[in-house]
Amino acid sequence: MPTINLGKFLVNRLKELGLDTIFGVPGDYNMPFLDVIEDDPELKWGNNANELNASYAADGYARVRGIGAVVTTFGVGELSACNGIAGSFSEMVPVVHIVGTPNTKSQASGALLHHTLGNGNFRVFQQMFAEITVANTQLSIANSTLHAIREIDRCLTECMLRRRPVYIGFPIDLMSAEVDVSESDLQPLQIQRPKNPENTQASCLKFVLQEIERAKKPIIIVDACAIRNEVQADVERLMDKTGFPTYVAPMGKGAVHEAKSNYRGCYAGTVSLEQVAEEVHQADLILEIGSLQSDFNTGGFSYNLDKEKIIAFHTSLTSVFHATFEGVGMNEFLPLVIDNLPKSLTETDWKDLPPPAHTQSIQPEDAPVITHNYLWNKLSDYLEPRSIIVSETGTAEFGVFNLRAPHDCKYISQVLWGSIGYSVGGATGAAAADRSRRVYLFVGDGSFQMTAQEVSSMLHTGLTPVIFLLNNNGYTIEKLIHGKHRDYNNYQMWKYADTFKYMGAELEINTKNARQSVVGYQGKVNTREEFEKAMEQVKQQSNKIHFIEVIMPQFDAPRELLLQVATSENR
Amino acid sequence: MPTINLGKFLVNRLKELGLDTIFGVPGDYNMPFLDVIEDDPELKWGNNANELNASYAADGYARVRGIGAVVTTFGVGELSACNGIAGSFSEMVPVVHIVGTPNTKSQASGALLHHTLGNGNFRVFQQMFAEITVANTQLSIANSTLHAIREIDRCLTECMLRRRPVYIGFPIDLMSAEVDVSESDLQPLQIQRPKNPENTQASCLKFVLQEIERAKKPIIIVDACAIRNEVQADVERLMDKTGFPTYVAPMGKGAVHEAKSNYRGCYAGTVSLEQVAEEVHQADLILEIGSLQSDFNTGGFSYNLDKEKIIAFHTSLTSVFHATFEGVGMNEFLPLVIDNLPKSLTETDWKDLPPPAHTQSIQPEDAPVITHNYLWNKLSDYLEPRSIIVSETGTAEFGVFNLRAPHDCKYISQVLWGSIGYSVGGATGAAAADRSRRVYLFVGDGSFQMTAQEVSSMLHTGLTPVIFLLNNNGYTIEKLIHGKHRDYNNYQMWKYADTFKYMGAELEINTKNARQSVVGYQGKVNTREEFEKAMEQVKQQSNKIHFIEVIMPQFDAPRELLLQVATSENR
């Protein structure tokens, strides 16, 4: 029987799944596993400033690369990551949370160790995480060494299939244990999605095709779960083959190539641009792909589309009007629909549609001050194709709804979970996930303060995002919701533009393998002219990290946020 | 029947229990409650930079003032505070965690709101917190308005009695609800500790007095739970009345007036000063008050005292050698023992003890560089009586073991939970809890990065701690435990000494009620001479906030930490 080092086995599996960076923070219960990571020439260590940020980074990374991982230490470390992991659960992002736990002997004897609750219960944190993960385990070789191997494979399989986080407790003494494996355990992990039920699917297909053929004014709305299930290529084929007007919900932004002629904009009920809402409400058939109808994704539940018109493609079911076809998941079903579309689709009644609403740029008021209206309109002059746009919960998240971005951009925002501070860690992960893409981070001053130290990790690991610090002097989204002039919505202002300097961009670095970012623009812009000048430098220096503190009027917000607030007055 | 605003009722109860500051972060599910806090002239808002820091601050505050409170928002906010609350549970600190939750209608209908897991389960976070609190509730007036009132009182009572955190979920629509109360509910909350069982206690007392009388070499060891149960005055009386040599465990540091002639030092097994260990091992009777035998509190379980010699006073039981007297808690029992001590205690055999070990200052090596040996010896020249000394898990925590501090100092450190970064939030809370005492914060560079933004709250709310940033270029405690030259134990260095400047100490502040700290010393010291010069300024300017970046040799550590690491090599 062959043997393998258990830490090495887990690391190999993570690499098989596509990981090249693992995030986290060292702790005295996880360091032997960090040795394995550091010794692997194909892996990089995220070097995060704290565990919450590390979990955000793993989430941002997973959104770009299909999976992410974070390593924490028992108790103190893992609980700090708890909000990040819950966010990944809520937003359906596959993240592997590996927790270094005390050695198996101490656990068995209930020793009164540091990082415990002092009650000898070593399972309590795992139990807490059971609520926000789709699989959890504590590795053990007490009965069989194969058990640990099988548990790792089970958790990773669940993570990949269900697109949600899993928890692997890894006792410190097992990290370098040599364990027996069978030959087949050393083969790459085979992850197979369960097949859709054949007859149900056939019946559903017939129904769907018939309705598509019959429709006069069909449209497509693409949402969050299209991205989570990675069906963007299918969506593109569907758009091309049908020519149907296509929309995204806010969380579906990025699932569709916006340059396509039949892309028509972002639909979010009363928070939509007027023309978008009008078009959507005229439709007689709506192909809804991966819909997730949360408050912020539907204009505060003003989505209001008639179920009689909706064919909804979900992760593991399809509904046609009021009929549900259980088990008919989109990954297998969408291609089937596309392949079987009638050769010549009935001519639809969508004729002479005006140019899409979002392409009609709104003329910003003529003033030197940088308003949201100006900012989100102007940005499209600068963004490159294949950019990754990370927008913080708050003003930025809503500004992005109608942003005109070039081909193949990716949008990252926590529209459902909405944890402020997420974007700084998320951008770190996204930037690490694909260094060939430019990352634009839009974060408000309040959110930035939550997780600011992560800029330090960006600098240390040579990442080069463009950071826009939208400084509007307080928690603007909160002020718009409640307590506009309250003290609790204000706090200490910082010299944000000095962030790189403060976090040592010019100091020597103390690790062998780090590659420090080269700093480009760092400063504060008060006017449109200053902003545009800064952006010219940003555009030219694509291999540098930039920090632009954008001074904005207090209480100014994107139109979409103001509309959203109006819908949720009574939440 | 009288009525009361429910938010106001909770705030009044918190004030009754001694709170004048509530920590937390605004969120759209908690703001109406923040209105009540802001409108109360007797209350201050903590204005923390994030929820983890806020929970640490509430913990630090509670350690000084007997109770603390933190307000977070549903999901994202509360989970970020989770590590802090678990720390309060582990270390037995009474903290009230108030979570603003969605309105009762949305909860009942399972609406797909932001900050949820998207599964309609509004109890999941409360369930997670059930593992790390001693009481939890979700306020409701559905069946009876009195229910909410009673639940608040139940949770606060549990918090005070069991000295551990509680969780109160407060739906946003109930925060300003007027509810009926009975007259008696408006009276101050009566919290009564259950009485010890009379006969068991009488029998125990007899046994204890007899053993005390018989002993030839009796000693006292005071530990964590003496502080948690606030029996410091009893300890003082016991020391005075008996004259027995008295020691503290590391977590008991601060429970004893160290200036007393029979205080002999800190006992932690093999991590003790040699003379201390020798004395303790000679004892024939050990009065152990509030013992908590965790790894870092016992020199890695090298405490090793003979149960045949130990009378242990615990929170709710007393043990005399191998006999356990259930229900005989120290709060009632200790005074009884002290009052009944024989008028003239048998002359003990403790004669001609040399001066206590910790008062014999260790001559630091003759070098300009600032070593731990120098630092912890030198500090006693500067500390004032009534200081609060907050030491971070890591080198600082161990440096404090044998620190000679003046009269009536308080020590705050997470010896059991050990979450790095705690001390920055903890010091914020401690400083807010008693502005008449000076707070000295000792934090390492790695720990500081975890929670650095809390310095911003200190500045904003006019707190004036003295911050020592012990810069030894990486995670030194981790390096000593494992991976001395590993990359993962290093990270980006910052210009720490610029922290006040970066965090806007010189900028205008934007809240009506804030009072910005006045900055004293801020800079970096490389040599003993520079350190001593800085300390002169610190000493003179007691009403200012100071920041001293202390450059220390890499790998240098207090003797106590090196001994501790040796004990835990095989954890």
Side-chain angles (χ1 to χ4, degrees):
Chain A
M1 225 175 187
T3 67
I4 189 167
N5 173 300
L6 196 55
K8 188 76 194 139
F9 177 81
L10 175 52
V11 149
N12 285 346
R13 280 288 189 249
L14 294 172
K15 289 197 294 179
E16 270 174 49
L17 297 174
L19 278 162
D20 75 344
T21 304
I22 296 177
F23 300 93
V25 177
D28 60 344
Y29 294 126
N30 69 26
M31 289 190 285
F33 186 61
L34 304 195
D35 290 346
V36 181
I37 295 172
E38 190 165 316
D39 288 340
D40 192 315
E42 291 164 4
L43 281 179
K44 285 187 282 292
W45 174 239
N47 204 284
N48 305 95
N50 67 34
E51 287 89 355
L52 178 60
N53 296 2
S55 65
Y56 287 160
D59 180 294
Y61 184 95
R63 287 177 196 243
V64 175
R65 225 170 151 110
I67 185 159
V70 54
V71 182
T72 63
T73 197
F74 189 66
V76 293
E78 57 182 312
L79 292 189
S80 283
C82 175
N83 174 12
I85 299 297
S88 300
F89 184 90
S90 170
E91 298 243 336
M92 283 181 282
V93 180
V95 169
V96 184
H97 185 193
I98 300 154
V99 180
T101 61
N103 86 31
T104 42
K105 266 188 228 148
S106 299
Q107 292 199 41
S109 71
L112 189 46
L113 300 184
H114 66 286
H115 301 345
T116 71
L117 296 178
N119 56 8
N121 182 349
F122 286 85
R123 285 290 180 279
V124 59
F125 311 123
Q126 186 180 342
Q127 278 158 25
M128 292 170 72
F129 274 96
E131 306 280 349
I132 50 173
T133 52
V134 290
N136 69 82
T137 191
Q138 187 73 215
L139 299 182
S140 160
I141 54 170
N143 297 318
S144 137
T145 62
L146 274 177
H147 184 258
I149 297 286
R150 297 281 151 79
E151 280 295 282
I152 288 172
D153 283 353
R154 177 179 71 83
C155 288
L156 296 181
T157 303
E158 288 294 302
C159 185
M160 291 302 282
L161 280 180
R162 300 174 64 187
R163 319 302 297 159
R164 282 188 148 156
V166 295
Y167 175 107
I168 299 177
F170 202 163
I172 187 169
D173 53 324
L174 301 192
M175 289 172 179
S176 46
E178 281 289 324
V179 298
D180 297 333
V181 282
S182 70
E183 280 293 350
S184 66
D185 289 317
L186 295 177
Q187 300 305 309
L189 187 60
Q190 298 298 322
I191 297 177
Q192 260 151 3
R193 214 180 280 274
K195 298 287 288 173
N196 291 350
E198 213 169 318
N199 293 340
T200 317
Q201 180 161 269
S203 155
C204 183
L205 179 64
K206 211 172 131 191
F207 198 171
V208 167
L209 293 174
Q210 167 192 312
E211 292 305 324
I212 289 178
E213 207 160 3
R214 178 182 299 174
K216 295 291 171 212
K217 288 198 150 190
I219 63 168
I220 302 168
I221 300 181
V222 186
D223 204 346
C225 296
I227 300 173
R228 304 301 184 265
N229 287 301
E230 298 179 336
V231 298
Q232 291 96 328
D234 298 314
V235 167
E236 187 172 0
R237 282 210 302 144
L238 184 67
M239 282 178 78
D240 287 347
K241 237 177 140 173
T242 62
F244 295 167
T246 301
Y247 305 82
V248 294
M251 289 180 82
K253 186 109 177 150
V256 167
H257 287 187
E258 300 194 2
K260 283 194 183 294
S261 61
N262 51 336
Y263 175 66
R264 305 287 310 164
C266 179
Y267 179 69
T270 58
V271 174
S272 319
L273 294 174
E274 253 173 64
Q275 185 188 315
V276 166
E278 270 172 32
E279 290 170 25
V280 167
H281 295 153
Q282 282 174 43
D284 64 352
L285 181 72
I286 299 163
L287 304 180
E288 223 185 52
I289 305 176
S291 180
L292 196 163
Q293 298 186 14
S294 75
D295 52 357
F296 280 14
N297 200 35
T298 60
F301 304 120
S302 64
Y303 189 82
N304 275 346
L305 301 180
D306 186 357
K307 213 171 170 180
E308 287 293 352
K309 297 178 179 174
I310 297 175
I311 297 177
F313 300 87
H314 288 296
T315 305
S316 54
L317 66 84
T318 300
S319 68
V320 184
F321 314 147
H322 291 282
T324 300
F325 295 86
E326 285 293 345
V328 181
M330 70 171 85
N331 281 79
E332 186 183 333
F333 188 53
L334 261 183
L336 208 61
V337 170
I338 296 162
D339 291 343
N340 288 286
L341 281 172
K343 290 242 159 48
S344 60
L345 278 173
T346 318
E347 189 79 339
T348 71
D349 285 355
W350 290 119
K351 278 174 201 131
D352 309 318
L353 278 173
H358 64 283
T359 61
Q360 303 155 26
S361 78
I362 303 160
Q363 204 49 44
E365 344 57 74
D366 187 24
V369 69
I370 303 168
T371 57
H372 278 279
N373 185 11
Y374 163 81
L375 178 72
W376 301 107
N377 270 286
K378 189 67 188 170
L379 274 169
S380 55
D381 293 358
Y382 302 106
L383 303 178
E384 290 91 351
R386 298 192 71 242
S387 294
I388 299 173
I389 293 154
V390 185
S391 58
E392 183 59 81
T393 299
T395 53
E397 163 191 5
F398 289 90
V400 164
F401 280 16
N402 293 300
L403 175 67
R404 300 179 308 281
H407 187 62
D408 205 12
C409 283
K410 189 164 189 82
Y411 298 84
I412 296 181
S413 190
Q414 278 193 339
V415 177
L416 175 55
W417 186 241
S419 180
I420 68 167
Y422 162 77
S423 69
V424 186
T428 306
D434 189 345
R435 289 178 187 242
S436 76
R437 299 177 81 162
R438 259 194 128 169
V439 172
Y440 294 89
L441 163 61
F442 297 92
V443 57
D445 49 327
S447 303
F448 180 73
Q449 290 199 5
M450 296 251 159
T451 50
Q453 50 270 85
E454 215 45 40
V455 172
S456 172
S457 315
M458 293 175 181
L459 288 169
H460 197 70
T461 57
L463 303 175
T464 53
V466 184
I467 303 170
F468 296 87
L469 188 294
L470 309 184
N471 185 348
N472 43 24
N473 202 21
Y475 294 122
T476 298
I477 188 171
E478 309 291 30
K479 289 177 185 173
L480 296 174
I481 294 173
H482 189 101
K484 189 168 179 180
H485 297 288
R486 286 289 185 174
D487 267 8
Y488 58 70
N489 279 330
N490 286 314
Y491 40 82
Q492 185 78 10
M493 284 296 112
W494 294 0
K495 292 190 171 171
Y496 301 105
D498 290 345
T499 301
F500 291 160
K501 286 196 196 93
Y502 175 64
M503 294 189 186
E506 297 150 15
L507 300 178
E508 210 180 317
I509 54 175
N510 57 5
T511 52
K512 299 182 290 288
N513 303 318
R515 39 172 179 170
Q516 184 142 7
S517 312
V518 180
V519 170
Y521 183 87
Q522 50 180 330
K524 179 151 85 169
V525 296
N526 289 282
T527 65
R528 296 178 187 189
E529 201 184 328
E530 287 169 10
F531 175 76
E532 287 160 26
K533 208 171 144 206
M535 289 307 292
E536 283 310 318
Q537 182 180 344
V538 167
K539 203 167 181 176
Q540 277 154 32
Q541 301 179 334
S542 65
N543 53 351
K544 294 187 178 175
I545 186 168
H546 304 272
F547 194 106
I548 307 169
E549 179 181 354
V550 184
I551 304 296
M552 307 186 86
Q554 219 193 145
F555 308 126
D556 180 57
R559 171 192 163 280
E560 289 74 12
L561 174 56
L562 300 174
L563 288 169
Q564 177 71 40
V565 169
T567 70
S568 54
E569 224 98 86
N570 222 344
R571 191 185 41 252
Chain B
M1 224 177 189
T3 67
I4 190 166
N5 173 300
L6 196 55
K8 189 74 195 141
F9 177 81
L10 177 51
V11 150
N12 286 346
R13 280 288 190 247
L14 295 172
K15 288 197 294 180
E16 270 173 49
L17 297 175
L19 277 162
D20 76 343
T21 305
I22 296 177
F23 299 92
V25 177
D28 60 344
Y29 295 126
N30 70 25
M31 289 189 286
F33 186 61
L34 304 196
D35 289 347
V36 181
I37 296 172
E38 190 165 317
D39 288 339
D40 192 314
E42 290 165 4
L43 280 179
K44 286 186 282 291
W45 174 240
N47 203 283
N48 305 95
N50 67 33
E51 288 88 354
L52 177 60
N53 296 2
S55 65
Y56 286 159
D59 180 293
Y61 184 94
R63 287 176 196 242
V64 176
R65 224 168 151 113
I67 186 160
V70 55
V71 181
T72 63
T73 198
F74 189 66
V76 294
E78 56 183 313
L79 292 189
S80 283
C82 175
N83 174 12
I85 300 296
S88 300
F89 184 90
S90 170
E91 298 244 335
M92 282 179 281
V93 180
V95 168
V96 184
H97 184 195
I98 300 154
V99 181
T101 61
N103 87 30
T104 43
K105 268 188 228 148
S106 299
Q107 291 199 42
S109 71
L112 189 46
L113 300 184
H114 66 285
H115 300 345
T116 71
L117 295 179
N119 57 8
N121 183 350
F122 285 85
R123 286 289 180 281
V124 58
F125 311 123
Q126 186 181 341
Q127 277 159 25
M128 291 170 72
F129 274 96
E131 306 279 350
I132 51 173
T133 53
V134 291
N136 69 83
T137 192
Q138 187 72 213
L139 298 183
S140 160
I141 54 171
N143 297 320
S144 139
T145 62
L146 275 178
H147 183 258
I149 297 284
R150 298 281 152 79
E151 281 294 282
I152 288 172
D153 284 352
R154 177 180 70 84
C155 287
L156 296 181
T157 303
E158 289 293 304
C159 185
M160 292 301 283
L161 280 181
R162 299 171 65 187
R163 317 304 295 160
R164 280 188 150 155
V166 295
Y167 176 106
I168 299 177
F170 202 164
I172 186 168
D173 53 325
L174 301 192
M175 289 171 181
S176 45
E178 280 289 323
V179 298
D180 298 332
V181 281
S182 70
E183 281 293 349
S184 66
D185 289 317
L186 295 177
Q187 300 306 310
L189 186 60
Q190 298 298 323
I191 298 176
Q192 262 153 359
R193 215 180 279 274
K195 297 287 288 175
N196 291 349
E198 214 169 316
N199 292 341
T200 316
Q201 181 160 269
S203 154
C204 184
L205 179 64
K206 209 172 135 192
F207 199 169
V208 167
L209 292 174
Q210 166 194 315
E211 293 305 324
I212 289 177
E213 208 162 0
R214 178 182 302 173
K216 296 289 172 214
K217 288 196 151 192
I219 64 169
I220 302 169
I221 300 181
V222 187
D223 203 346
C225 295
I227 300 174
R228 303 302 184 263
N229 287 301
E230 299 179 337
V231 297
Q232 291 94 329
D234 297 316
V235 168
E236 189 173 357
R237 282 212 301 145
L238 185 66
M239 281 177 78
D240 288 347
K241 235 175 143 175
T242 63
F244 295 166
T246 301
Y247 306 82
V248 295
M251 289 180 82
K253 185 109 178 151
V256 167
H257 287 187
E258 301 194 0
K260 284 195 181 294
S261 62
N262 50 335
Y263 175 66
R264 305 285 312 163
C266 179
Y267 178 69
T270 57
V271 174
S272 319
L273 294 174
E274 251 174 68
Q275 184 188 319
V276 166
E278 269 171 33
E279 290 170 25
V280 168
H281 294 153
Q282 281 174 44
D284 65 353
L285 180 71
I286 299 164
L287 305 180
E288 224 185 49
I289 305 175
S291 179
L292 197 163
Q293 300 186 14
S294 74
D295 51 358
F296 281 14
N297 201 34
T298 60
F301 304 120
S302 63
Y303 189 81
N304 276 345
L305 301 180
D306 186 356
K307 214 172 169 179
E308 287 291 354
K309 297 177 178 173
I310 297 174
I311 297 177
F313 300 87
H314 289 294
T315 305
S316 55
L317 67 83
T318 300
S319 68
V320 184
F321 313 149
H322 291 280
T324 301
F325 296 85
E326 284 293 345
V328 181
M330 69 173 84
N331 283 78
E332 186 183 333
F333 188 54
L334 262 182
L336 208 61
V337 170
I338 297 162
D339 291 343
N340 288 285
L341 281 171
K343 290 241 160 51
S344 61
L345 279 172
T346 317
E347 189 80 339
T348 71
D349 284 357
W350 291 119
K351 278 174 202 127
D352 308 318
L353 277 173
H358 64 283
T359 61
Q360 302 156 25
S361 78
I362 302 160
Q363 203 50 43
E365 343 58 78
D366 186 24
V369 70
I370 304 169
T371 57
H372 278 279
N373 185 11
Y374 163 80
L375 179 72
W376 301 107
N377 270 287
K378 188 69 188 170
L379 274 169
S380 55
D381 292 358
Y382 303 106
L383 302 179
E384 290 90 352
R386 296 191 72 242
S387 295
I388 300 173
I389 293 152
V390 185
S391 58
E392 183 61 82
T393 299
T395 53
E397 164 192 4
F398 290 89
V400 165
F401 281 17
N402 293 301
L403 176 66
R404 300 178 307 281
H407 187 61
D408 206 11
C409 283
K410 189 163 190 82
Y411 299 83
I412 297 181
S413 190
Q414 280 192 339
V415 177
L416 175 54
W417 186 241
S419 180
I420 67 167
Y422 162 78
S423 69
V424 185
T428 307
D434 190 343
R435 288 178 187 241
S436 76
R437 298 176 80 160
R438 262 196 125 168
V439 172
Y440 294 88
L441 162 61
F442 297 91
V443 56
D445 50 326
S447 304
F448 180 74
Q449 290 199 3
M450 296 250 158
T451 50
Q453 49 270 85
E454 215 45 39
V455 172
S456 173
S457 316
M458 293 174 181
L459 289 169
H460 197 70
T461 57
L463 303 176
T464 53
V466 184
I467 304 169
F468 296 87
L469 187 296
L470 309 184
N471 185 348
N472 43 25
N473 201 22
Y475 295 121
T476 299
I477 188 171
E478 309 292 30
K479 288 177 185 172
L480 297 175
I481 294 174
H482 189 100
K484 187 168 181 181
H485 297 287
R486 285 289 185 176
D487 267 7
Y488 59 70
N489 278 331
N490 286 313
Y491 40 83
Q492 186 77 11
M493 283 295 113
W494 294 359
K495 291 189 173 172
Y496 302 105
D498 290 345
T499 300
F500 291 159
K501 286 197 195 91
Y502 174 64
M503 294 189 185
E506 297 149 16
L507 301 178
E508 209 180 316
I509 56 175
N510 57 4
T511 52
K512 299 181 290 289
N513 303 318
R515 40 171 178 169
Q516 184 141 8
S517 312
V518 180
V519 171
Y521 183 88
Q522 49 179 331
K524 179 151 86 171
V525 297
N526 288 282
T527 63
R528 297 180 185 186
E529 201 184 330
E530 287 168 11
F531 175 77
E532 287 161 25
K533 209 173 145 205
M535 289 307 291
E536 282 309 318
Q537 182 180 344
V538 167
K539 202 167 181 177
Q540 278 154 32
Q541 301 178 335
S542 65
N543 53 350
K544 294 188 178 174
I545 187 168
H546 304 271
F547 194 107
I548 307 168
E549 180 181 355
V550 185
I551 304 295
M552 306 185 87
Q554 221 193 144
F555 309 126
D556 180 56
R559 169 192 165 281
E560 289 76 10
L561 174 56
L562 299 175
L563 288 170
Q564 178 70 40
V565 169
T567 71
S568 55
E569 224 100 84
N570 223 344
R571 193 183 42 252

